[in-house]
Amino acid sequence: MGELPLDINIQEPRWDQSTFLGRARHFFTVTDPRNLLLSGAQLEASRNIVQNYRAGVVTPGITEDQLWRAKYVYDSAFHPDTGEKVVLIGRMSAQVPMNMTITGCMLTFYRKTPTVVFWQWVNQSFNAIVNYSNRSGDAPITVGQLGTAYVSATTGAVATALGLKSLTKHLPPLVGRFVPFAAVAAANCINIPLMRQRELQVGIPVTDEAGQRLGYSATAAKQGIFQVVISRICMAIPAMAIPPLIMDTLEKKDFLKRRPWLGAPLQVGLVGFCLVFATPLCCALFPQKSSIHVSKLEPELRAQIHEQNPSVEVVYYNKGL
């Protein structure tokens, strides 16, 4: 077998990202929880394979499938813009196991105020790590900005949860089960823009189709953050809407009445099953490498692009996750 050719484009995902199916296959691979089990040595080996290949050096004996596997292992653990290793629970492959535990507990312990506050705080702490780890661009964010985003999102989530909890006291119990979802949706609208406020201030890198950086755009950042907020809310809908309906029915049955301790693990399991599919499918709602027409960019950047690259009509950017 001959040496692997150097014309395989591992800068892009393996599957066609212009179609939903192609994006879904990509994100099923990226969010695979088994990636969390890889050792530091395996991650470094994959990084070396990818970086060497991009530099024109083919690892001896490697096949195309092994190259793509190394690329996805690398992508699962390292930030695409900064190249830094992402903290374990901030990786997209940690989304299902972490969210199934946290969401399952939010849906189980929603009746008492202390547990509502505690699990909303845990959820926003986790979200803060994920949002920072999967931000777009390489612009640094200060500790003060991180703190502001974290406190604001946690306060917003807790206030929404407690406010709705008091409003639903006299409504059917099933309605109360959906309070955690409303709180999570509200918090996403606060947490993600605040955690990525640096991008809104200085912009994110925009490139031409070949990947040549053309400048920074806050307009592209707004579009990308909006897409991420929509994806995250949609991601939460199946996991926070389907299990409450099932649990409301099951808790009326004798089986669970005699074994109430089964409620929490059953809820966590149902949430996990929903998230296995909802996480990659909702990440795939919008292309990771999103595009925006030059005419919609800031006047200064638009003029700069027209002057230096008059043939460019559409620019591309990493929207984050």
Side-chain angles (χ1 to χ4, degrees):
M1 186 175 65
E3 191 177 77
L4 203 64
L6 286 168
D7 59 356
I8 300 171
N9 185 12
I10 60 170
Q11 293 292 115
E12 302 293 336
R14 188 172 191 175
W15 298 282
D16 181 8
Q17 296 299 284
S18 65
T19 68
F20 176 76
L21 181 59
R23 295 196 296 272
R25 293 182 70 182
H26 167 70
F27 281 110
F28 267 107
T29 306
V30 169
T31 61
D32 187 343
R34 292 175 297 178
N35 290 333
L36 295 174
L37 303 176
L38 298 172
S39 67
Q42 288 173 304
L43 295 179
E44 287 301 324
S46 294
R47 175 156 74 169
N48 289 336
I49 289 172
V50 170
Q51 290 183 339
N52 286 343
Y53 187 84
R54 287 173 177 170
V57 179
V58 178
T59 303
I62 194 172
T63 65
E64 183 174 348
D65 284 339
Q66 289 172 331
L67 175 64
W68 280 112
R69 173 59 184 159
K71 178 241 184 334
Y72 274 103
V73 168
Y74 173 78
D75 286 351
S76 77
F78 296 90
H79 192 278
D81 293 326
T82 66
E84 65 186 13
K85 185 184 287 186
V86 176
V87 65
L88 190 71
I89 63 171
R91 299 173 192 171
M92 290 308 292
S93 47
Q95 282 283 296
V96 172
M98 290 298 296
N99 271 327
M100 69 181 281
T101 304
I102 296 170
T103 304
C105 289
M106 281 196 296
L107 293 175
T108 301
F109 306 112
Y110 68 94
R111 292 184 176 91
K112 296 181 179 178
T113 298
T115 55
V116 168
V117 172
F118 175 75
W119 285 109
Q120 288 294 338
W121 168 73
V122 170
N123 186 49
Q124 289 314 310
S125 299
F126 171 63
N127 281 345
I129 294 171
V130 172
N131 293 337
Y132 176 74
S133 300
N134 295 282
R135 66 198 184 281
S136 175
D138 46 18
I141 183 169
T142 66
V143 174
Q145 290 170 328
L146 279 174
T148 300
Y150 173 62
V151 171
S152 300
T154 304
T155 303
V158 171
T160 303
L162 294 181
L164 290 175
K165 181 174 176 292
S166 65
L167 289 174
T168 57
K169 275 181 181 176
H170 305 296
L171 296 175
L174 179 60
V175 177
R177 289 180 178 271
F178 291 97
V179 167
F181 168 68
V184 167
N188 275 331
C189 295
I190 300 168
N191 195 330
I192 296 172
L194 281 174
M195 192 59 65
R196 295 175 58 177
Q197 61 185 289
R198 178 74 176 168
E199 299 169 34
L200 296 171
Q201 293 167 356
V202 302
I204 56 175
V206 293
T207 68
D208 59 19
E209 196 168 6
Q212 182 70 34
R213 189 171 291 192
L214 303 173
Y216 289 81
S217 170
T219 303
K222 290 176 187 175
Q223 180 174 294
I225 289 171
F226 174 76
Q227 292 174 349
V228 171
V229 169
I230 296 299
S231 294
R232 293 285 188 88
I233 292 175
C234 291
M235 199 184 296
I237 290 174
M240 302 191 82
I242 297 174
L245 293 173
I246 296 174
M247 290 303 297
D248 191 64
T249 301
L250 291 179
E251 285 178 0
K252 295 172 184 174
K253 307 289 184 183
D254 288 339
F255 179 78
L256 268 189
K257 284 181 179 178
R258 291 197 301 267
R259 303 171 184 82
W261 55 271
L262 272 176
L266 185 56
Q267 185 115 252
V268 169
L270 287 169
V271 169
F273 179 78
C274 292
L275 284 173
V276 163
F277 298 97
T279 300
L281 292 176
C282 291
C283 281
L285 288 176
F286 304 99
Q288 184 62 36
K289 184 180 177 181
S290 288
S291 62
I292 184 170
H293 202 278
V294 172
S295 62
K296 296 181 180 178
L297 297 175
E298 297 87 334
E300 302 84 2
L301 180 58
R302 188 165 64 233
Q304 178 185 317
I305 292 173
H306 282 155
E307 181 183 341
Q308 299 176 0
N309 303 272
S311 62
V312 174
E313 294 185 357
V314 176
V315 295
Y316 301 87
Y317 62 92
N318 170 26
K319 70 174 175 65
L321 284 170

